[in-house]
Amino acid sequence: MKMDIYIARSMVLDALQRASSQNPEVLKPAETKLKEWETEPGFYAILLNIFSDHSIDVNVRWLAVLCFKNGVDRYWRKTAPHAISEMEKSTLRQGLVANFREPVNQVATQLAVLVSKVARFDCPREWPELVPTLLSAVRSDDQLVQHRVLLTLHHVVKTLASRRLAGDRRHFQDLTATVYGFVYELWTSHLETFLKLLSENNSEMVASLEKALLSLRILRKLTVHGFKRPHESSEVVTFLKVIFDRAKTMLECRKTLQGKTQIQEMCEKFIIHLTKVLADVLEDHPFSFIPFIRMTLEFSVYYIFTPAGEGLLFERFMQVLFVLSFIVERVGAAVRPYSTSLVRYLPLLWEESAEHNMLRCAIVSTLVHLVLALGSECETLSPFLLPVIRLSTDVNEDCHVYLLEDGLDLWLAVDFDRWFTSTLVTELRIRDANYRIIRRRVAWLMGHWAGVKMSRELRPMLYAATLPLLSGDEDMAVRIAAANTLKLAIDDFEFDTEQFLTFLEPAFELLFSVLREANECDTK
């Protein structure tokens, strides 16, 4: 756009206004013209100038942001055809964080996403000042500026946390180490302000809760993706411990807000997000979560079975059950000290979820994971487990429930060591082609039972029996089952590296051959 800047701005503004029209005859030529200008030097500086001018119609400004976002996707990368020059990008970066007073929420959200898109390409190498600029701006006394900066920081952190290259992950961990404490203090401050304003029935409490929720979302990403071992950070431990008390406080606040729909819904969203923090830490860092198992179980009871949680039936059940199921599935044997408490709660959960099949499926899933995780402990817990399972069979015809009851009875009765050495190994030696279904099922049994019902001394025998099932003359389904058996055995708490060393090289070669010959992406 090599012309006078004012004329160029006028032309772009006119095209944006026409492109906002509902008349296709006006809209289509304007869109074509905007598309032609995408590779012109100075075009994005004009768009920045237009969407920063709050006197212009909001639809036009929103479209200007959208055009800028599309340009970032197509032309911001250095290697892109018609890439935006480094000099122009430097000017644009400065302009994007020069003003945080956007009055329209929808446009503010799009601007935050726009900054995060640029950050994905440029932070930290070309844009090292981005996060320091945001952290400085968020200290403003202006309430609107505080909110817009937090919104931008949320999207930037979310984007940086999603990058998966090793260098990017290290950078995010370094960033987390420098900002975590500050963001935690922001969250605490905004939440305390909300509680104070709530007690005074001050209308400003909505803005304070919005900022507390944004701070919480930032903390969630930093906690889950910013630490290799979250439990080694005293700041993370403090945050996770505080979650339980804060959730109870917000439940109580929510009860006092009957009739105030907007703020009540925000409180519910805040509570659910607190439980998502726990679920994410549990999923990504199960061993870091072990110290919080008892607190989680106690909170789950409070969340579900006290008047404070009334009115949150479906959401609270699903969220808490996901957390409970994750605890059992991810942490495995570490849940044993708390298993009796967990099993005592499940009948109450079952009764409360009478009208929700999805919830009852989640309860059955929790039971399945519990039986698999506890192994020999099932013998001492069977007085609690069997009544829960049988309660479910009384009102649910799902075959999985019956299989679970039969499986638990069988689990308690079978001497797996003897069964493995006397029967299963023999079954695997039968090479008849029609026996492949049996070999696949035996591989499945070994994987799921070995971690909890097999003596450690028999592990080498398990490895020796599994490796032939990975060979090229086996059916692919058998090879996949055998690969999963190795995975489950290696993931087990009692895995002994020394026992596996002699099998390491052949296992690696055989697994690589499966990888090379498999066609399905899921298999690979």
Side-chain angles (χ1 to χ4, degrees), residues 72 75 78 93 96 136 198 205 226 266 279 297 304 321 327 354 368:
V72 172
Y75 308 112
K78 293 179 181 179
R93 285 192 294 262
L96 286 173
S136 175
L198 176 63
M205 60 183 169
M266 289 181 64
L297 294 176
I304 296 176
L321 275 175
I327 288 176
V368 171

Side-chain angles (χ1 to χ4, degrees), residues 68 72 75-78 84-94 96 114-131 156 159-160 163 168 171:
F68 199 123
V72 172
Y75 308 112
W76 201 273
R77 194 184 302 273
K78 293 179 181 179
I84 301 171
S85 71
E86 292 303 310
M87 183 177 296
E88 185 174 357
K89 287 196 289 188
S90 176
T91 303
L92 294 173
R93 285 192 294 262
Q94 293 175 26
L96 286 173
L114 172 56
V115 173
S116 73
K117 282 180 173 288
V118 176
R120 176 179 287 278
F121 290 111
D122 290 357
C123 189
R125 292 178 181 84
E126 283 79 23
W127 208 1
E129 67 274 16
L130 171 60
V131 174
V156 168
T159 296
L160 297 182
R163 300 194 300 191
D168 293 330
H171 165 256

Side-chain angles (χ1 to χ4, degrees), residues 392-420:
S392 67
T393 62
D394 290 340
V395 291
N396 191 313
E397 297 180 355
D398 191 326
C399 66
H400 290 91
V401 179
Y402 291 100
L403 289 173
L404 184 60
E405 180 179 3
D406 292 342
L408 182 57
D409 287 329
L410 179 64
W411 191 292
L412 298 173
V414 167
D415 179 347
F416 186 76
D417 285 358
R418 182 178 178 183
W419 190 29
F420 173 69

Side-chain angles (χ1 to χ4, degrees), residues 163-226:
R163 300 194 300 191
R164 288 293 174 260
L165 294 178
D168 293 330
R169 292 173 73 97
R170 283 195 299 271
H171 165 256
F172 191 73
Q173 289 164 4
D174 292 341
L175 171 67
T176 299
T178 61
V179 306
Y180 195 89
F182 177 76
V183 177
Y184 176 77
E185 291 301 325
L186 275 179
W187 176 64
T188 302
S189 174
H190 289 310
L191 190 53
E192 291 294 340
T193 301
F194 162 72
L195 295 173
K196 181 176 182 296
L197 294 174
L198 176 63
S199 67
E200 300 169 353
N201 199 26
N202 190 316
S203 61
E204 295 295 322
M205 60 183 169
V206 175
S208 294
L209 186 54
E210 285 179 347
K211 288 182 283 189
L213 182 57
L214 283 171
S215 303
L216 177 59
R217 286 174 167 164
I218 297 168
L219 274 178
R220 176 185 172 193
K221 293 298 180 182
L222 294 175
T223 301
V224 176
H225 301 289

